[in-house]
Amino acid sequence: MKVLVINCGSSSLKYQLIDSETEEALATGLCERIGIDGRLVYQPAGCDKIKTDLAMPTHNEAIQFVLDALTNADNGVIKSLDEVGAIGHRIVHGGEKFTKSVVITDEVIAAIEECNDLAPLHNPANLIGVRTCQKLMPGKPNVAVFDTAFHQTMPAKAFTYGLPYEYYEKYAVRRYGFHGTSHDFVSHRAAEIVGKPYEDLKIIVAHLGNGASISAIKDGKCQDTSMGLTPLEGLVMGTRSGDIDPSIMEFIAKKENLDIAGIMNVLNKQSGVQGISQLSSDFRDLEEGANAGNDKAQLAMEVFAYRVAKYIGSYVAALNGVDVIAFTAGIGENAPTIRKMVLGYLGYLGISVNEEENGKRGDELLISTADSKVKVYVIPTNEELAICRATVALV
Ligand code: AMP
């Protein structure tokens, strides 16, 4: 079956058409600047990217252009939309309602809307993608795959904040966690590579991208994860602060004369390694800067790696041990320096790093030595393929 995977944001949209039998992406791309002017990027497998400026006042036009590109006589990858068996949608927040992927019905849409409060920037945009696909491809099954669902197995002791309990009861304030599709995909792949049943392994996944989170898995279930009610908690990220003393918010608000929105903007967009380095949120720039003697770039990398190591240490305690640690996402897959810095803190676990393997890039790698007590892998994530698989399983 061919599955169209859609990740719809407020002004952009990423897509892939995947053949579920071969698990190959037939075409990938994105629509940018929806509602502003509009640009379609379309890349059939094995070909160069084609970029076209096209007026996209709404997501309606954007998705129509994607469908036109996929079926285009010159460089399309399918003859007609009849070949598309189903559409899989990334939905950011499923609250406590959704513990797994579901086929989208009117009731499901209403239930997702009830979670909009928890992800006001993402969920409404995700639903626009759903509704547009329903309109442009009537009768095709649409499936919702939630970023939060994988983490719904966390026990109450892990998801409950030290706040008045009524906030949980009244407003559902608790830890949810994100990047669930990636943590699910990578942890299952890790078990496959190790060749042991998923349920028998203690696995820690470090999804280190521009947004970054860690999860701890035992007995086949997610036991804890670093992101919280929103993706702001946990690790120091590209531009997000991660964990801070909450009192800093009041302190800085007074000093800088900022309101809540201003503070949230600082914590989400001007903090993290970007804020520390005052240089870039991109680790390629940070490494280059640090190598050229930029102390703040060096410090940003150290703060990042130290926080990752502290989280791994705390999750080893939460799991009472660890069998496998897996690095994934942009930094996890491509930044050997950061992996080495993180693993440098974990010698006490009996981890020993194979420097040569760690120096490689790009594919699945075992980066611990044969005698290391914990197996450490680099496993490229593939959220689109995970969404495709979840979609096929349901339709
Ligand atoms: P993601 O959010 O998973 O797409 O990750 C994006 C981030 O990965 C970028 O902002 C960079 O910080 C990092 N990244 C990507 N490629 C490299 C690389 N070759 N070396 C170091 N960091 C990289």
Side-chain angles (χ1 to χ4, degrees):
M1 180 196 294
K2 287 169 187 130
V3 177
L4 180 60
V5 175
I6 298 271
N7 180 354
C8 197
S10 55
S11 67
S12 68
L13 177 163
K14 292 189 201 138
Y15 65 90
Q16 281 195 13
L17 184 69
I18 301 177
D19 183 332
S20 67
E21 269 114 63
T22 61
E23 300 205 325
E24 299 288 336
L26 303 172
T28 63
L30 69 152
C31 298
E32 296 171 294
R33 300 175 61 82
I34 302 168
I36 307 167
D37 37 29
R39 167 187 269 201
L40 172 75
V41 180
Y42 172 69
Q43 185 171 31
C47 303
D48 290 337
K49 279 185 185 156
I50 305 163
K51 296 179 183 173
T52 325
D53 289 332
L54 291 161
M56 295 175 187
T58 70
H59 289 75
N60 215 44
E61 291 81 17
I63 295 184
Q64 186 62 59
F65 286 133
V66 171
L67 302 181
D68 291 347
L70 293 171
T71 52
N72 184 294
D74 292 335
N75 46 29
V77 290
I78 48 175
K79 289 208 174 64
S80 89
L81 291 178
D82 293 344
E83 291 182 46
V84 177
I87 304 124
H89 297 266
R90 175 189 181 218
I91 307 286
V92 166
H93 218 307
E96 290 188 319
K97 291 189 175 65
F98 296 102
T99 56
K100 49 186 186 312
S101 307
V102 286
V103 175
I104 298 178
T105 60
D106 289 347
E107 292 73 41
V108 166
I109 290 183
I112 295 172
E113 274 173 340
E114 283 174 35
C115 303
N116 281 1
D117 226 14
L118 295 166
L121 295 180
H122 292 99
N123 271 25
N126 300 157
L127 281 176
I128 291 174
V130 171
R131 290 201 172 96
T132 310
C133 285
Q134 285 178 327
K135 199 164 102 195
L136 296 177
M137 290 176 281
K140 301 256 185 228
N142 286 270
V143 169
V145 181
F146 299 91
D147 256 25
T148 48
F150 177 68
H151 305 299
Q152 275 296 305
T153 52
M154 280 187 290
K157 67 183 176 192
F159 73 66
T160 306
Y161 286 120
L163 290 169
Y165 197 72
E166 69 206 62
Y167 296 157
Y168 172 57
E169 294 172 312
K170 284 201 285 192
Y171 312 123
V173 172
R174 51 158 285 178
R175 176 182 310 287
Y176 289 96
F178 297 87
H179 295 139
T181 318
S182 176
H183 288 286
D184 189 358
F185 180 88
V186 171
S187 57
H188 276 93
R189 182 67 196 131
E192 250 172 55
I193 300 172
V194 171
K196 288 198 179 149
Y198 190 61
E199 297 69 29
D200 293 352
L201 288 168
K202 295 172 181 174
I203 306 172
I204 295 176
V205 176
H207 176 110
L208 309 179
N210 195 32
S213 68
I214 305 212
S215 65
I217 297 138
K218 187 168 96 167
D219 300 330
K221 291 180 190 153
C222 175
Q223 305 289 340
D224 207 342
T225 191
S226 58
M227 283 179 168
L229 175 78
T230 74
L232 184 54
E233 193 181 348
L235 301 176
V236 176
M237 307 179 214
T239 62
R240 291 181 216 144
S241 64
D243 301 338
I244 57 163
D245 177 349
S247 300
I248 293 172
M249 296 169 73
E250 187 199 17
F251 187 85
I252 295 298
K254 284 184 179 157
K255 297 276 184 205
E256 297 270 321
N257 197 20
L258 290 170
D259 60 8
I260 286 283
I263 285 289
M264 294 315 292
N265 187 50
V266 171
L267 296 182
N268 276 301
K269 305 214 168 117
Q270 299 171 34
S271 300
V273 292
Q274 160 79 57
I276 298 169
S277 69
Q278 305 281 295
L279 174 71
S280 173
S281 62
D282 192 308
F283 278 72
R284 286 164 285 201
D285 301 333
L286 295 178
E287 273 198 68
E288 204 182 300
N291 289 337
N294 182 326
D295 291 345
K296 286 192 188 126
Q298 176 66 30
L299 177 64
M301 287 167 55
E302 282 174 14
V303 171
F304 178 88
Y306 180 63
R307 179 74 59 88
V308 174
K310 282 210 298 186
Y311 260 95
I312 293 178
S314 69
Y315 285 171
V316 173
L319 300 180
N320 191 18
V322 61
D323 301 307
V324 184
I325 296 174
F327 287 92
T328 194
I331 302 158
E333 292 168 29
N334 298 300
T337 317
I338 296 292
R339 293 196 298 257
K340 190 176 164 188
M341 285 164 80
V342 171
L343 294 170
Y345 291 103
L346 304 176
Y348 73 98
L349 294 173
I351 290 178
S352 111
V353 183
N354 181 330
E355 300 266 353
E356 197 185 325
E357 287 301 302
N358 185 48
K360 296 182 180 166
R361 273 171 208 262
D363 214 350
E364 283 179 354
L365 296 170
L366 173 65
I367 59 169
S368 51
T369 57
D371 60 350
S372 176
K373 292 216 176 78
V374 179
K375 287 196 184 311
V376 186
Y377 290 96
V378 176
I379 301 179
T381 192
N382 191 337
E383 288 168 283
E384 291 77 15
L385 178 56
I387 293 174
C388 168
R389 285 180 184 164
T391 302
V392 172
L394 282 169
V395 298

